[in-house]
Amino acid sequence: MERRQFVTMVGVGVVLTPLAGCSILSGEAVETPTSTGTLTETRTPRTRGSTESPETTETSSETPDPTPELQIAETPTSKFPQPEMGEPIIRNQPEDYRTVEIGSRENVDTPVVGHANGPFHLHIFRYTPTDVFYEIQIVDLDADAVLRHEGFTIPAERALHIVFNEPSTYALNLYDHDYDNGWTAGIEKDRFDCNFHRSNFFALDGGDFRWNTLSSRADC
């Protein structure tokens, strides 16, 4: 009888004995060794019998082209000639990559689309599928003020969408740094009516620009 009790107690002692490297019943943290080695090169294992050298990864040291400096003078005027209107007529416009709002519809008496004083939409892109950098200056000629002046990198087959929310007379001056020339899109105040207007302001090969507008014809 005494022997059985002794065996039982020994078994309990085995269960409660902490395993090596652990601290089950103490409050001390257990630290796990961490490797401090630095990996300096990654090699692709050779296949048995292969004579090829291990692959190495090269890091390009090229830097991106710097953003061109802005060239348009900070005066609230039209700066360049207006592009010709007409062919090609753009009926399937490229998707917008970015939309820029000029003014706010909250400042308009009738801000609901379909009534007088509706917004005017302008899309700027290159007709050929090429990334392009354009310097753009937006002038409110009635207010004699430059509203925005910055550079935009427009991706290939995408358009910069500019929404003119408040009726006024505007000039959008565009400088094409690739061809060292400029163009101005004039937007008259009577364009802000109850019709929908989508104007396209785009470059052809050689730096020439075109300007055409698709509009609804509701009697406002």
Side-chain angles (χ1 to χ4, degrees):
M1 185 68 172
E2 293 178 356
R3 183 177 181 181
R4 290 180 179 178
Q5 290 178 351
F6 176 74
V7 173
T8 302
M9 292 178 66
V10 171
V12 173
V14 172
V15 173
L16 296 179
T17 300
L19 298 175
C22 300
S23 181
I24 297 175
L25 300 179
S26 71
E28 297 180 359
V30 179
E31 296 184 359
T32 302
T34 303
S35 173
T36 59
T38 301
L39 182 62
T40 59
E41 181 179 3
T42 302
R43 293 179 176 270
T44 303
R46 294 185 183 181
T47 303
R48 180 174 295 179
S50 173
T51 59
E52 295 181 359
S53 301
E55 294 181 1
T56 58
T57 302
E58 296 182 359
T59 303
S60 175
S61 60
E62 295 182 0
T63 56
D65 294 335
T67 301
E69 294 183 1
L70 301 184
Q71 301 293 326
I72 303 176
E74 290 289 343
T75 53
T77 60
S78 298
K79 303 293 196 308
F80 309 112
Q82 179 103 353
E84 294 182 8
M85 301 182 69
E87 299 294 337
I89 302 298
I90 305 299
R91 301 190 183 278
N92 297 315
Q93 293 87 351
E95 295 181 2
D96 300 334
Y97 95 99
R98 183 177 173 184
T99 299
V100 174
E101 301 272 345
I102 304 298
S104 171
R105 295 301 294 165
E106 295 179 357
N107 299 328
V108 182
D109 292 336
T110 55
V112 180
V113 176
H115 296 272
N117 298 332
F120 186 87
H121 299 266
L122 179 64
H123 297 260
I124 301 172
F125 53 93
R126 179 161 281 179
Y127 188 64
T128 52
T130 308
D131 292 357
V132 63
F133 177 86
Y134 288 145
E135 178 182 345
I136 293 174
Q137 182 189 74
I138 298 173
V139 177
D140 187 334
L141 296 175
D142 291 347
D144 195 29
V146 175
L147 304 182
R148 192 156 187 151
H149 185 190
E150 62 183 287
F152 295 90
T153 299
I154 303 175
E157 299 182 334
R158 292 292 184 269
L160 173 64
H161 179 194
I162 299 179
V163 183
F164 295 85
N165 286 305
E166 301 176 24
S168 191
T169 304
Y170 297 95
L172 187 145
N173 299 313
L174 182 150
Y175 186 75
D176 188 340
H177 285 251
D178 288 344
Y179 292 98
D180 194 26
N181 59 12
W183 305 89
T184 295
I187 303 169
E188 301 298 329
K189 195 170 185 177
D190 59 8
R191 292 289 186 130
F192 296 85
D193 55 19
C194 70
N195 285 290
F196 174 82
H197 303 281
R198 174 170 180 144
S199 286
N200 297 309
F201 187 35
F202 57 97
L204 303 174
D205 287 334
D208 287 338
F209 266 72
R210 290 291 183 272
W211 160 271
N212 57 50
T213 301
L214 300 176
S215 302
S216 61
R217 296 184 178 182
D219 186 3
C220 300

